[in-house]
């Protein structure tokens, strides 16, 4: 299971600050079922227990930094304790899945029916073709307000944070899930009419009026379909393993 995930998104593709891969558990554990999610917390472990899964595959790592204490002081520590107590393995595929061919940003483009999709900022890592973000074309050009509505519908979001609406059709779109504001200028250079990401700093909205349509939909919302990638990888490599896309919502942001 772990080897199949790492073949799709090799660990060398992760950023230097990241901690993808095995988080908790033993590599030789026989999998009874896999719960697929964005984040891991106590409630996610509870759902795995309820569904009879002894493996959780997440996008965001449970462990970003080393733990000096394992007790009940923090949510991360309690989650680790519970996972160990119930013999549940945790695997995370984070920026390696962001940077992989067919990874998070390709899945986002799929939801919009985009065509001729390629990396926005391509790079070679250990001889592997990878990159940050993607760029491609919509099936048909559309007005900016219709484009924003289409994005909201595709990702099921309650609102989108945008700059001034573009007064020309949107056809070429650049995408970076999660915190992708570092790619905004790359999107402009690529000739994109619009840039979709999960979160962006306030001051970066300035200065792009009528240059590119910014559409920010939320970090969780932008990456929510990553579980579908995990499901498809596991189904192909281990067809006998039961998989469940998590029902627990871990988005900490409320829209009131």
């Amino acid at each position: 299971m772990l080897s199949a995930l790492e073949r799709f998104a090799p660990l060398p593709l992760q950023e230097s600050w990241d901690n993808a891969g095995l988080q908790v558990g033993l590599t030789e554990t026989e999998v009874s079922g896999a719960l697929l999610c964005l984040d891991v917390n106590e409630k996610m472990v509870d759902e795995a227990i309820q569904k009879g899964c002894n493996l959780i595959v997440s996008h965001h790592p449970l462990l970003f930094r080393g733990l000096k204490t394992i007790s009940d002081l923090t949510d991360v520590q309690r989650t680790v304790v519970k996972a160990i107590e119930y013999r549940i393995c945790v695997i995370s595929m984070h920026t390696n899945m962001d940077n992989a061919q067919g990874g998070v940003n390709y899945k986002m483009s799929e939801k919009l029916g985009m065509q001729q999709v390629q990396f926005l900022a391509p790079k070679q890592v250990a001889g592997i073709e990878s990159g940050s973000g993607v760029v491609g074309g919509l099936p048909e050009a559309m007005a900016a307000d219709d484009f924003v509505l289409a994005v909201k519908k595709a990702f099921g979001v309650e609102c989108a944070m945008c700059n001034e609406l573009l007064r020309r059709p949107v056809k070429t779109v650049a995408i970076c899930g999660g915190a992708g504001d570092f790619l905004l200028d790359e999107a402009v250079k690529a000739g994109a009419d619009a840039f979709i990401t999960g979160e962006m700093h306030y001051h970066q909205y300035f200065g792009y009026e009528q240059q590119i349509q910014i559409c920010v939909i939320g970090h969780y919302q932008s990456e929510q379909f990553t579980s579908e990638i995990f499901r498809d990888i596991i189904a192909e490599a281990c067809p006998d393993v039961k998989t469940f896309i998590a029902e627990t919502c871990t988005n900490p942001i409320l829209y009131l």
Side-chain angles (χ1 to χ4, degrees):
M1 180 82 66
L2 179 59
S3 60
L5 290 164
E6 291 184 359
R7 278 196 301 273
F8 186 94
L11 291 182
L13 299 187
Q14 70 179 311
E15 302 297 333
S16 60
W17 47 263
D18 200 7
N19 187 41
L22 182 67
Q23 307 279 295
V24 177
L26 303 175
T27 56
E28 299 304 317
T29 300
E30 185 174 342
V31 179
S32 62
L35 183 65
L36 317 175
C37 60
L38 196 64
D39 308 288
V40 186
N41 58 17
E42 281 191 275
K43 291 182 179 179
M44 198 62 69
V45 176
D46 289 337
E47 184 175 341
I49 295 167
Q50 186 268 325
K51 286 182 162 63
C53 297
N54 65 350
L55 173 64
I56 296 173
V57 181
S58 72
H59 182 45
H60 295 144
L62 171 62
L63 302 174
F64 265 114
R65 301 170 185 86
L67 294 177
K68 293 185 178 180
T69 304
I70 299 178
S71 65
D72 60 353
L73 293 177
T74 68
D75 180 65
V76 171
Q77 291 179 25
R78 290 190 296 271
T79 302
V80 170
V81 169
K82 183 172 282 191
I84 293 172
E85 180 182 358
Y86 287 90
R87 296 180 177 272
I88 294 173
C89 292
V90 178
I91 294 170
S92 300
M93 297 281 111
H94 191 210
T95 52
N96 53 322
M97 188 60 74
D98 291 329
N99 295 333
Q101 185 86 37
V104 175
N105 299 305
Y106 281 87
K107 175 58 70 171
M108 290 178 66
S109 71
E110 178 187 308
K111 296 298 177 180
L112 291 170
M114 287 169 55
Q115 302 164 346
Q116 296 180 314
V117 178
Q118 58 188 351
F119 285 119
L120 176 60
K123 55 187 175 183
Q124 285 273 340
V125 178
I128 304 167
E129 191 74 30
S130 67
S132 300
V134 297
V135 63
L138 296 172
E140 295 181 357
M142 59 177 68
D145 54 348
D146 290 333
F147 168 74
V148 173
L149 289 174
V151 172
K152 289 175 63 176
K153 182 178 179 181
F155 292 90
V157 301
E158 300 170 58
C159 64
M161 293 181 287
C162 305
N163 62 343
E164 178 181 277
L165 287 177
L166 204 64
R167 292 192 292 273
R168 70 170 191 268
V170 174
K171 174 66 174 178
T172 302
V173 178
I175 292 176
C176 184
D181 55 7
F182 68 99
L183 284 174
L184 178 57
D185 288 332
E186 288 293 334
V188 173
K189 290 177 186 176
D193 302 305
F195 177 62
I196 303 170
T197 190
E199 57 181 280
M200 201 166 79
H201 289 87
Y202 171 79
H203 292 286
Q204 288 186 279
Y205 288 84
F206 289 98
Y208 294 90
E209 296 82 5
Q210 299 310 311
Q211 190 172 21
I212 192 168
Q213 182 64 64
I214 296 168
C215 187
V216 180
I217 61 175
H219 195 123
Y220 180 96
Q221 291 88 338
S222 69
E223 298 180 328
Q224 62 183 302
F225 300 115
T226 306
S227 295
E228 295 181 7
I229 306 174
F230 299 150
R231 179 194 61 197
D232 294 344
I233 294 170
I234 295 170
E236 182 176 346
C238 311
D240 295 331
V241 173
K242 294 181 296 182
T243 59
F244 303 87
I245 291 180
E247 299 174 55
T248 301
C249 177
T250 54
N251 188 1
I253 301 172
L254 299 178
Y255 296 83
L256 302 177

